[in-house]
Amino acid sequence: MKDMRIRLIASAALLLASHAMAQPQHELNLMPMPTSVQPGFGRLAVDQSFSVATTGFKDAMLERGIHRFVAELSRQTGMSLKRKLADSPSPTLLIHAVHGSERVQRLSEDESYELVISESGAKLTAPSPLGILHGLQTFLQLVETTANGFSVPVVTIEDRPRFAWRGLLVDVGRHFIPVDVLKRNLDGMAAVKMNVLHWHLYDNEGFRVESKRFPRLQEAGSDGLYYTQDEIREFVAYAHDRGIRIVPEFEMPGHSRSLFAGYPELASGPGPYKIEPGGADAVMDPTQEKAYKFIDKLFEEMAKLFPDNYFHIGGDEVNGSQWAANPKIQTFIHSHGMKTNQDLQAYFNQRLQKILSKHHKIMMGWDEVLHPDLPRTVVVQSWRGQESLATAARQGYSSLLSFGYYLDLMWPASRHYTVDPMSGAAASLNPQEKSHVIGGEACMWAEWVTPENIDSRIWPRSAAIAERLWSSPEVQDLGSMYTRLDKLSRRLEWLGLTHRSSMVPAFYRMAGTNDIAALCTLAEVVEPVKDYTRMNSLKTVWDFRGPLNRLVDIVRPESDQARRLRDVVQTYIASGYKDKVAEGEIRTRLAAWRDNDARLHPLLEQSFLLSELAPLSEDLSTLGAAGLLALDYLDKSTPSPRSWRVQQRALVERAKTPKADLLLMVVEPVQQLIEGSGGQTQEP
Amino acid sequence: MKDMRIRLIASAALLLASHAMAQPQHELNLMPMPTSVQPGFGRLAVDQSFSVATTGFKDAMLERGIHRFVAELSRQTGMSLKRKLADSPSPTLLIHAVHGSERVQRLSEDESYELVISESGAKLTAPSPLGILHGLQTFLQLVETTANGFSVPVVTIEDRPRFAWRGLLVDVGRHFIPVDVLKRNLDGMAAVKMNVLHWHLYDNEGFRVESKRFPRLQEAGSDGLYYTQDEIREFVAYAHDRGIRIVPEFEMPGHSRSLFAGYPELASGPGPYKIEPGGADAVMDPTQEKAYKFIDKLFEEMAKLFPDNYFHIGGDEVNGSQWAANPKIQTFIHSHGMKTNQDLQAYFNQRLQKILSKHHKIMMGWDEVLHPDLPRTVVVQSWRGQESLATAARQGYSSLLSFGYYLDLMWPASRHYTVDPMSGAAASLNPQEKSHVIGGEACMWAEWVTPENIDSRIWPRSAAIAERLWSSPEVQDLGSMYTRLDKLSRRLEWLGLTHRSSMVPAFYRMAGTNDIAALCTLAEVVEPVKDYTRMNSLKTVWDFRGPLNRLVDIVRPESDQARRLRDVVQTYIASGYKDKVAEGEIRTRLAAWRDNDARLHPLLEQSFLLSELAPLSEDLSTLGAAGLLALDYLDKSTPSPRSWRVQQRALVERAKTPKADLLLMVVEPVQQLIEGSGGQTQEP
């Protein structure tokens, strides 16, 4: 894409030629980066006289969207702005939508927009309100505080999404997340132009939807925490207003123990079933006609509640042991000419697909649903890798990627960012096959998630995934991404998201005292262990009812402070250990860590939630001291003794071991300093 | 009160005699302090097995209250606790209410409770769910993080309020406050056992209630921001669930320009009227019968919407100029044998009282309504001082105090805390007269208040007023109050209150950059100017639509850091300038301030919101440097030269002058150091 401009630095020559109002254009704080950004000169003031008018199509949804925009701009600037649309032919922002958007938002709708800002006013044009909503978010991101007031830069932006499906899955089965928490996350999604909330509505541990037809689903299948149908309707409308589709997931035949708590007759095994841990593993019995009657009635009810065209039936990780243990099921398999449990699941999925089709829904499932017997209308969501995504696309199935976007694995934003739906196995698809890849979804699986920490698990990392799915694949610069992500992360606080603020009360809970500075210092440089390490290290059966109040539950998945140390150590090394500013910053940090254990230790003894942190805190102080010594050697330009380095390596290795399910994220740069202090000699 | 125990420090001898589980009882973090606290030995664990059961009376309100309690305890501890009530005869907490509370909560209801905690369980008993709700809040305050887990101390608490009316007025006329913001403030009120939200529903600048009978009230009388009747009903129910009465205020005949925007014929002057600033000053015309017809119909509608027995008609600050300027009104006054405008207002109030009585409401008004012609059922709210409170009580009117509790005046908590409804003129009332003093109300007038900063204006200071109205008048210790207030303030964050967290995004808005450390350092030691200084210093007509994004709008009303400096300087002086720990802390703070201007200055030039802070920032640095020099003199035990001190005094005087509507709160202790550095010599 030739006109793609990632870094919008106007040349000094152009600047000199411009008039007094003009200011140098630094990189704009846009995320996701738009398709095309043409910077200009000068700025448009955003002050108390700010007004919005519309031409062209107008409906209640668009008006509500504009009202929200004005309210957000008010909050962001601390100015009380006119809510009513202006009659003026020259408002600050003129909005023109060509036609309305669909009553039920469709995958294929045009979400593009054009935003043209001059010094005298801005114009936002889009085929439909969907594009207008995106353009308004872009406008909000452009507002900056300057010496002369709030303003937006003169710029011309043309923008459209790369993928039509830009989703976030939220698992509310393992831990219930109240509607108000989900709503603020919808606001966050809208801010980064995501357009699908995939609502994983239940799992073994809890059924979260009120069914009037089968009330024992929520009564026996939950701990009393579920969404009423009124709440769901209001939530779906809330999402629709923000250009977000709600795709419900009714997972079957596996991951569905909570179904059987109230309706054990649907299961393949004898039960009894309960949502509490230790209950029998459970898979639905696909050989009984009564199962399809149940599903038909349930889906009929739910198809009305969830108006979206797509309906997710899960279908992943089916445990074959219950089927294998049930002679009736085995007989069914053989008498119907099937060979494997996979064939039985395909049969089940075919039946589901017919039921859903009757209720005018398109079926979706995880990659395991892929089977030649299924019609090509089915959408496949790949969690196992780009391989299965490519396989599905090659066979003509619409497919989307979630592999690489699992937020619960606690990866840094940079790692998610580099995963592209079209990379890996998908890179070899032909254009026709590629057109079947419709997008991706960040996944917030909720084993370790509560209403308190969910925001910090989703944000700001999801914004990096949102950019991957919206922007050109050429948008790759990690430095730029992190700079913009940080700005965005701060802006998301205006939406009520607690990803930054929630740690503080949790620290006070842990400490039971007011002096949390030393705890913060430690917390800032650790991250939760990655992948499934925490789950795998459990010594008992995982219990979703267990407390989630340890430091690992509170700290952010990614340490900004550790990233900063890595960067400044790189700068220092690249300067041949000469950059005194970098060294000064490194020393300040290392000294604070060296001294931290002495400050934190008294707290550790007072709180059962802190005591497990003792070895971690010691490691941090040891690393701080070792790093400072390494700097001393580097300053003196005398290589550190080999024996010293060998000793330090042992400390480094110890510090690399996870403790309290946490990783100390500053080991590597300190290690680099230690090794660097040895001079040019290469050692094994 | 002999059994009153403010400081619950068990003696060492008793401790030694107790068994192993026993721990020394420090002061409990209770606010408001209960009537009687009998500390015991040992603790009751609050862990995953925590359960609640009830005996005695039970209704849906009580059950919802218990569910909220469990949810709050879950949040506070990070543990997922059983929501369902236990069948067990020995739950962790056994709740016994004797009977139900009233469908419409009454002023006279018994709110007492008894909480008995032993090592094996807790029992909470109360006449009605109102007392249970209070007792549950006390339990939540008792939960502490210890080395062995969460637990509450063994204790016996008997508790009942000193005053029946413990209110918070929120003005939503000047600035609209959305329902969700008010709801979290109701949660805060419940946490400190306040029981009345006085909803000042409109003022000159906006009418905030939907009237179906007179829709032009909200249509012409607001900027589109008002509460729908559905919202109000839901809000009233939300409050009732929390033991909080909603008392609406329909202010007349003054402060009601927003009424006349839609119904100008009700006013005493010709109009036209609009809510925008600069419109005609406006008072209702009490001589027209149509006014009483209008009021009758409006109050009929509103009496249904607001079920509380009390109905506030305002009645304060009536501007007589419109009445004086209207010959028809003057003729009416004379032809009805009245002498003054006050007589006319009394006539008006009598008519209102009859209308309200017809709609089964008890009339309330501000102290100006006090007039011998009014029946003794009227309740008088005193904003002008304890004098008028005492006068009303002497005449047999129920009265409550708001003088001294105006949160918008930006007083420190300690100043509100020392205001007692029974002090001043009220101290000389006889017991019979005293019984007419029914309580008090904190008042959140909203000239400078937005949804963003309202929490920080109300909290935590209102908790000090809540304690004054609930606890024994002997509870007076300021040190204890601040210690407990600080703990409470942190706990309030679990309710979603943003009084601590809201500053951060606002600082980023101001700075327009990520480096806000220097701004924080300055912000931590300033407070908004006090009383009506800010209003009085306005150079133009006050405009409620103006931006509220300056530092004065963001910083807390009371600086903890400044209080801390004052305290530590006192300690240092009291030690004869010998306490090296105190001196070290003072030096650290002073040095940070001295160096702060150099760090902040670059930011000030980049942001129009920061530029006004330049002189303030310079003053802080100057003070830091002067204080450090004073310490140097004190260290050397050589008196500072008189000429130096004279010079510093000029700086100190300059630093005392408000700048950007802010006060530097660290001037006084630095001044003490400077003067102290002169040695024993007394100077003029």
Side-chain angles (χ1 to χ4, degrees):
Chain A
M1 201 173 285
K2 278 260 172 88
D3 66 349
M4 193 67 213
R5 285 154 195 244
I6 314 301
R7 299 200 162 265
L8 305 169
I9 303 162
S11 78
L14 276 169
L15 273 175
L16 288 171
S18 72
H19 59 83
M21 268 289 288
Q23 296 185 6
Q25 297 278 13
H26 52 87
E27 180 174 51
L28 300 179
N29 287 311
L30 295 171
M31 191 163 217
M33 187 55 74
T35 313
S36 156
V37 177
Q38 303 281 352
F41 297 101
R43 304 190 69 86
L44 170 65
V46 175
D47 58 23
Q48 201 81 38
S49 72
F50 187 87
S51 61
V52 186
T54 58
T55 57
F57 175 83
K58 189 160 72 178
D59 66 359
M61 177 203 176
L62 182 62
E63 277 199 65
R64 285 194 299 268
I66 295 171
H67 277 164
R68 281 199 313 280
F69 163 74
V70 173
E72 274 188 48
L73 187 59
S74 280
R75 219 175 312 146
Q76 192 177 321
T77 59
M79 297 192 299
S80 148
L81 300 172
K82 276 187 287 294
R83 296 174 75 248
K84 288 175 188 170
L85 290 176
D87 297 328
S88 155
S90 58
T92 321
L93 174 61
L94 186 67
I95 290 174
H96 183 91
V98 178
H99 55 71
S101 45
E102 304 280 344
R103 198 184 53 77
V104 174
Q105 191 176 327
R106 300 182 75 89
L107 177 65
S108 55
E109 278 183 81
D110 188 339
E111 297 180 83
S112 69
Y113 68 91
E114 186 186 57
L115 176 62
V116 180
I117 301 178
S118 74
E119 287 183 326
S120 57
K123 186 165 183 193
L124 173 60
T125 318
S128 87
L130 286 183
I132 298 294
L133 293 179
H134 293 319
L136 291 174
Q137 293 294 343
T138 300
F139 190 97
L140 287 170
Q141 292 188 0
L142 288 170
V143 177
E144 285 180 286
T145 311
T146 76
N148 303 310
F150 296 112
S151 58
V152 289
V154 169
V155 69
T156 295
I157 291 175
E158 285 172 41
D159 203 7
R160 70 194 64 83
R162 179 176 168 214
F163 291 109
W165 193 296
R166 305 176 306 280
L168 171 68
L169 174 148
V170 180
D171 163 18
V172 296
R174 271 90 177 199
H175 285 102
F176 181 74
I177 306 294
V179 165
D180 58 338
V181 177
L182 291 178
K183 278 184 179 173
R184 67 188 186 219
N185 278 285
L186 285 179
D187 291 331
M189 291 173 67
V192 296
K193 304 183 172 64
M194 295 177 96
N195 65 355
V196 181
L197 183 92
H198 174 163
W199 212 355
H200 186 78
L201 284 163
Y202 64 88
D203 214 294
N204 292 327
E205 296 78 10
F207 188 91
R208 307 301 186 183
V209 185
E210 178 193 29
S211 170
K212 294 185 192 292
R213 196 119 189 195
F214 301 107
R216 291 204 35 83
L217 281 173
Q218 69 270 17
E219 285 163 11
S222 87
D223 46 0
L225 295 169
Y226 60 86
Y227 309 102
T228 66
Q229 294 204 354
D230 280 346
E231 282 177 321
I232 290 169
R233 270 185 288 268
E234 204 237 319
F235 184 67
V236 168
Y238 187 95
H240 182 261
D241 254 5
R242 284 152 183 79
I244 298 172
R245 299 163 39 216
I246 303 285
V247 174
E249 178 173 348
F250 285 79
E251 168 99 81
M252 43 189 71
H255 278 285
S256 46
R257 194 170 69 227
S258 62
L259 289 179
F260 312 135
Y263 300 90
E265 64 275 18
L266 298 174
S268 305
Y273 297 97
K274 50 177 192 154
I275 54 172
E276 283 76 22
D281 210 349
V283 186
M284 199 177 275
D285 179 353
T287 69
Q288 309 183 91
E289 277 307 306
K290 68 180 174 197
Y292 301 105
K293 282 196 187 129
F294 174 90
I295 291 168
D296 187 17
K297 283 177 190 162
L298 178 65
F299 283 8
E300 181 183 30
E301 183 183 15
M302 296 302 150
K304 282 179 196 140
L305 199 55
F306 296 98
D308 198 77
N309 295 316
Y310 292 80
F311 199 101
H312 205 297
I313 57 89
D316 61 313
E317 299 188 305
V318 174
N319 182 335
S321 62
Q322 272 211 341
W323 288 351
N326 185 327
K328 206 164 59 73
I329 293 177
Q330 291 306 312
T331 307
F332 183 93
I333 288 180
H334 298 306
S335 67
H336 284 69
M338 302 178 207
K339 289 191 179 117
T340 64
N341 287 338
Q342 284 70 37
D343 293 338
L344 180 60
Q345 193 178 350
Y347 164 82
F348 178 70
N349 287 338
Q350 278 180 285
R351 299 285 304 260
L352 291 196
Q353 194 275 327
K354 285 191 186 109
I355 292 171
L356 284 173
S357 179
K358 189 174 90 177
H359 299 304
H360 313 292
K361 298 290 183 189
I362 300 168
M363 187 168 101
M364 284 186 73
W366 297 102
D367 21 17
E368 289 95 327
V369 303
L370 196 63
H371 193 281
D373 290 346
L374 274 187
R376 293 297 176 273
T377 53
V378 168
V379 177
V380 177
Q381 179 168 14
S382 168
W383 69 278
R384 293 193 294 195
Q386 274 130 320
E387 190 69 53
S388 60
L389 179 90
T391 306
R394 244 179 235 114
Q395 296 179 16
Y397 292 95
S398 290
S399 59
L400 58 119
L401 188 68
S402 279
F403 169 84
Y405 301 144
Y406 271 30
L407 299 168
D408 54 314
L409 301 187
M410 300 288 170
W411 295 1
S414 55
R415 186 162 171 196
H416 293 304
Y417 194 63
T418 49
V419 175
D420 193 300
M422 293 303 191
S423 67
S428 61
L429 295 174
N430 67 35
Q432 167 64 18
E433 291 162 352
K434 277 185 174 168
S435 72
H436 293 306
V437 180
I438 57 176
E441 268 185 13
C443 291
M444 184 71 273
W445 299 107
E447 278 87 351
W448 309 108
V449 162
T450 68
E452 179 189 325
N453 70 12
I454 189 170
D455 293 2
S456 72
R457 274 64 189 125
I458 296 178
W459 305 106
R461 294 181 303 153
S462 293
I465 299 171
E467 174 156 291
R468 179 56 53 237
L469 297 173
W470 176 283
S471 304
S472 158
E474 296 169 37
V475 178
Q476 294 276 5
D477 187 290
L478 286 181
S480 160
M481 185 274 280
Y482 272 117
T483 303
R484 292 178 292 117
L485 190 67
D486 195 48
K487 280 273 183 185
L488 178 83
S489 178
R490 305 253 171 229
R491 279 198 62 250
L492 291 175
E493 292 201 279
W494 292 117
L495 305 177
L497 285 163
T498 63
H499 56 301
R500 302 188 76 94
S501 61
S502 65
M503 288 202 300
V504 177
F507 286 160
Y508 283 103
R509 171 211 289 152
M510 294 188 81
T513 160
N514 275 336
D515 183 14
I516 59 164
L519 177 57
C520 288
T521 300
L522 177 63
E524 277 171 0
V525 294
V526 296
E527 293 178 7
V529 287
K530 309 297 163 185
D531 304 318
Y532 295 106
T533 310
R534 186 175 178 188
M535 187 63 80
N536 293 339
S537 69
L538 282 179
K539 291 184 182 62
T540 56
V541 178
W542 177 73
D543 186 346
F544 65 100
R545 300 162 312 172
L548 292 176
N549 51 18
R550 297 164 63 212
L551 192 59
V552 63
D553 298 309
I554 295 161
V555 294
R556 297 194 199 117
E558 186 168 6
S559 160
D560 294 342
Q561 297 295 320
R563 198 175 68 243
R564 175 69 200 156
L565 183 76
R566 285 197 295 274
D567 287 351
V568 69
V569 166
Q570 282 323 306
T571 304
Y572 179 59
I573 293 173
S575 75
Y577 308 107
K578 301 244 176 341
D579 185 332
K580 285 292 162 193
V581 175
E583 187 190 330
E585 183 180 335
I586 299 167
R587 278 191 181 273
T588 304
R589 290 172 188 268
L590 293 174
W593 299 338
R594 179 197 57 198
D595 302 340
N596 200 60
D597 190 47
R599 292 160 66 215
L600 185 55
H601 224 86
L603 259 68
L604 301 182
E605 288 161 10
Q606 287 167 29
S607 162
F608 76 110
L609 291 171
L610 294 181
S611 52
E612 66 171 348
L613 304 176
L616 203 62
S617 175
E618 284 164 29
D619 283 355
L620 180 62
S621 286
T622 308
L623 279 179
L628 285 168
L629 268 176
L631 287 180
D632 289 344
Y633 283 118
L634 287 162
D635 269 358
K636 288 181 290 189
S637 299
T638 46
S640 58
R642 188 168 190 281
S643 61
W644 178 80
R645 290 198 304 282
V646 169
Q647 198 181 18
Q648 303 311 305
R649 276 177 210 141
L651 301 176
V652 160
E653 286 314 307
R654 191 185 71 191
K656 279 182 181 169
T657 320
K659 294 173 187 78
D661 290 325
L662 290 164
L663 291 165
L664 209 46
M665 298 305 291
V666 293
V667 183
E668 190 199 329
V670 172
Q671 188 176 14
Q672 289 175 307
L673 294 176
I674 292 168
E675 296 304 334
S677 73
Q680 298 302 333
T681 46
Q682 288 296 322
E683 292 159 38
Chain B
M1 201 172 289
K2 280 258 173 88
D3 65 349
M4 192 67 212
R5 288 156 192 241
I6 314 300
R7 298 200 162 267
L8 305 169
I9 303 162
S11 79
L14 276 169
L15 274 175
L16 289 170
S18 72
H19 60 83
M21 266 291 286
Q23 295 186 8
Q25 296 280 11
H26 52 87
E27 179 175 50
L28 299 178
N29 287 311
L30 295 170
M31 192 163 214
M33 187 55 75
T35 314
S36 158
V37 178
Q38 303 280 353
F41 298 101
R43 306 189 67 86
L44 169 66
V46 174
D47 59 22
Q48 201 82 37
S49 72
F50 187 87
S51 61
V52 186
T54 59
T55 58
F57 175 84
K58 190 160 73 178
D59 66 358
M61 178 202 174
L62 181 62
E63 278 200 64
R64 285 193 299 268
I66 296 171
H67 275 164
R68 281 199 312 280
F69 162 75
V70 174
E72 275 188 48
L73 187 58
S74 281
R75 219 175 311 147
Q76 193 176 321
T77 59
M79 297 191 300
S80 151
L81 300 171
K82 276 187 287 293
R83 297 174 74 247
K84 288 175 188 171
L85 290 177
D87 297 328
S88 155
S90 58
T92 321
L93 174 62
L94 185 67
I95 290 174
H96 182 90
V98 178
H99 54 72
S101 45
E102 304 280 344
R103 198 184 54 77
V104 174
Q105 191 177 326
R106 300 182 73 89
L107 177 64
S108 55
E109 277 182 82
D110 188 340
E111 298 179 84
S112 69
Y113 68 92
E114 188 186 54
L115 177 62
V116 180
I117 300 178
S118 75
E119 286 182 329
S120 57
K123 184 165 184 193
L124 173 60
T125 319
S128 86
L130 285 184
I132 298 294
L133 293 179
H134 293 318
L136 291 174
Q137 292 295 341
T138 299
F139 190 96
L140 287 170
Q141 292 187 3
L142 288 170
V143 177
E144 286 180 285
T145 311
T146 76
N148 304 309
F150 296 111
S151 59
V152 290
V154 169
V155 69
T156 296
I157 292 174
E158 286 172 40
D159 204 7
R160 70 194 63 83
R162 179 176 170 215
F163 293 108
W165 192 297
R166 304 175 307 281
L168 171 67
L169 174 148
V170 180
D171 164 17
V172 296
R174 271 92 176 196
H175 285 102
F176 182 75
I177 306 294
V179 165
D180 58 338
V181 177
L182 292 179
K183 279 184 178 172
R184 68 187 186 220
N185 279 285
L186 286 179
D187 290 332
M189 290 173 66
V192 295
K193 304 181 172 65
M194 295 177 97
N195 65 355
V196 181
L197 183 92
H198 174 164
W199 211 355
H200 186 78
L201 283 163
Y202 64 89
D203 213 294
N204 293 327
E205 295 78 11
F207 188 92
R208 308 300 187 184
V209 184
E210 178 193 29
S211 169
K212 293 185 192 293
R213 194 117 192 196
F214 301 107
R216 291 205 33 86
L217 282 173
Q218 68 271 17
E219 286 165 9
S222 86
D223 47 359
L225 296 168
Y226 60 86
Y227 309 103
T228 66
Q229 295 204 354
D230 281 346
E231 281 177 320
I232 291 169
R233 271 185 287 269
E234 202 237 321
F235 184 67
V236 167
Y238 187 95
H240 182 261
D241 254 5
R242 283 150 184 82
I244 297 173
R245 299 163 41 217
I246 303 284
V247 174
E249 178 175 348
F250 285 79
E251 168 100 83
M252 44 188 71
H255 278 286
S256 46
R257 195 170 67 226
S258 62
L259 288 180
F260 311 136
Y263 301 90
E265 64 275 18
L266 298 173
S268 304
Y273 297 97
K274 50 177 192 152
I275 53 172
E276 283 76 20
D281 209 349
V283 187
M284 198 176 276
D285 179 354
T287 70
Q288 307 183 92
E289 277 309 306
K290 69 179 173 197
Y292 301 105
K293 284 198 183 123
F294 174 90
I295 292 168
D296 186 19
K297 283 178 190 159
L298 178 65
F299 283 8
E300 182 184 30
E301 183 182 17
M302 295 303 149
K304 283 180 195 139
L305 198 54
F306 296 98
D308 198 77
N309 296 314
Y310 292 81
F311 198 100
H312 205 297
I313 57 89
D316 62 312
E317 300 188 306
V318 174
N319 182 335
S321 62
Q322 272 209 342
W323 289 350
N326 184 327
K328 205 166 59 74
I329 293 177
Q330 290 306 311
T331 306
F332 184 92
I333 289 179
H334 299 307
S335 67
H336 285 69
M338 302 177 209
K339 289 192 180 114
T340 63
N341 287 338
Q342 283 71 35
D343 294 339
L344 181 60
Q345 192 178 352
Y347 164 81
F348 178 71
N349 287 338
Q350 278 179 283
R351 298 286 303 263
L352 292 196
Q353 194 275 327
K354 287 193 184 106
I355 292 170
L356 284 173
S357 179
K358 190 174 89 178
H359 298 304
H360 313 292
K361 297 292 183 189
I362 300 168
M363 187 168 100
M364 285 185 73
W366 297 101
D367 24 19
E368 289 97 324
V369 304
L370 196 63
H371 192 281
D373 290 346
L374 274 187
R376 293 300 176 273
T377 51
V378 168
V379 177
V380 177
Q381 181 168 13
S382 170
W383 69 276
R384 293 192 295 196
Q386 275 128 320
E387 190 70 53
S388 60
L389 179 90
T391 306
R394 243 178 236 114
Q395 295 179 16
Y397 291 94
S398 290
S399 59
L400 59 117
L401 188 67
S402 278
F403 169 83
Y405 300 143
Y406 271 30
L407 300 168
D408 52 315
L409 302 188
M410 300 288 170
W411 294 2
S414 55
R415 187 163 170 194
H416 293 303
Y417 194 64
T418 49
V419 176
D420 192 298
M422 293 302 191
S423 66
S428 61
L429 296 174
N430 67 37
Q432 167 65 18
E433 290 161 352
K434 277 186 174 165
S435 71
H436 292 306
V437 179
I438 57 175
E441 265 184 16
C443 292
M444 183 73 272
W445 299 107
E447 278 87 350
W448 309 108
V449 162
T450 67
E452 178 189 324
N453 70 12
I454 189 168
D455 294 1
S456 72
R457 272 65 192 128
I458 296 178
W459 306 108
R461 295 181 303 153
S462 293
I465 299 171
E467 173 155 290
R468 180 56 52 237
L469 298 173
W470 177 283
S471 304
S472 157
E474 295 169 36
V475 179
Q476 293 277 4
D477 187 289
L478 287 181
S480 160
M481 183 275 282
Y482 273 116
T483 303
R484 292 177 291 115
L485 190 68
D486 196 47
K487 280 274 184 185
L488 178 84
S489 178
R490 306 250 172 232
R491 279 198 61 250
L492 291 175
E493 292 200 281
W494 292 116
L495 304 176
L497 284 164
T498 63
H499 55 302
R500 302 187 75 94
S501 61
S502 64
M503 288 203 300
V504 177
F507 287 160
Y508 283 103
R509 171 210 287 151
M510 293 187 81
T513 159
N514 275 336
D515 182 14
I516 60 163
L519 176 57
C520 288
T521 299
L522 176 63
E524 277 171 1
V525 294
V526 296
E527 292 179 8
V529 287
K530 308 297 163 185
D531 304 314
Y532 295 107
T533 310
R534 185 174 178 189
M535 188 61 82
N536 294 338
S537 70
L538 281 179
K539 291 188 180 60
T540 55
V541 179
W542 178 74
D543 186 345
F544 66 98
R545 300 162 309 172
L548 292 177
N549 52 18
R550 298 162 62 211
L551 191 59
V552 64
D553 298 308
I554 296 160
V555 294
R556 296 192 199 119
E558 186 167 7
S559 161
D560 294 343
Q561 296 295 321
R563 199 175 68 243
R564 177 68 201 158
L565 183 75
R566 285 195 295 274
D567 288 351
V568 70
V569 166
Q570 283 322 305
T571 305
Y572 179 59
I573 292 173
S575 75
Y577 308 107
K578 302 248 178 329
D579 185 331
K580 286 292 163 194
V581 175
E583 187 190 330
E585 182 180 335
I586 298 167
R587 277 190 181 276
T588 304
R589 289 171 189 268
L590 294 173
W593 299 338
R594 180 196 56 198
D595 302 339
N596 201 59
D597 190 48
R599 292 160 66 214
L600 185 55
H601 224 86
L603 258 69
L604 302 182
E605 289 160 10
Q606 286 166 29
S607 161
F608 75 110
L609 291 171
L610 295 180
S611 53
E612 65 171 349
L613 304 176
L616 203 64
S617 175
E618 283 165 28
D619 283 354
L620 181 63
S621 286
T622 307
L623 279 179
L628 285 168
L629 267 175
L631 287 179
D632 289 344
Y633 284 118
L634 287 163
D635 270 358
K636 287 181 292 188
S637 299
T638 46
S640 59
R642 187 168 190 282
S643 61
W644 178 79
R645 290 198 303 284
V646 170
Q647 198 182 19
Q648 302 312 305
R649 276 176 210 141
L651 302 176
V652 161
E653 287 313 308
R654 192 186 68 192
K656 280 183 179 168
T657 319
K659 295 173 186 76
D661 290 324
L662 290 165
L663 290 165
L664 210 46
M665 298 307 290
V666 294
V667 183
E668 192 199 330
V670 173
Q671 188 176 14
Q672 289 176 308
L673 294 176
I674 292 168
E675 297 303 333
S677 72
Q680 298 301 331
T681 47
Q682 288 297 322
E683 291 161 36

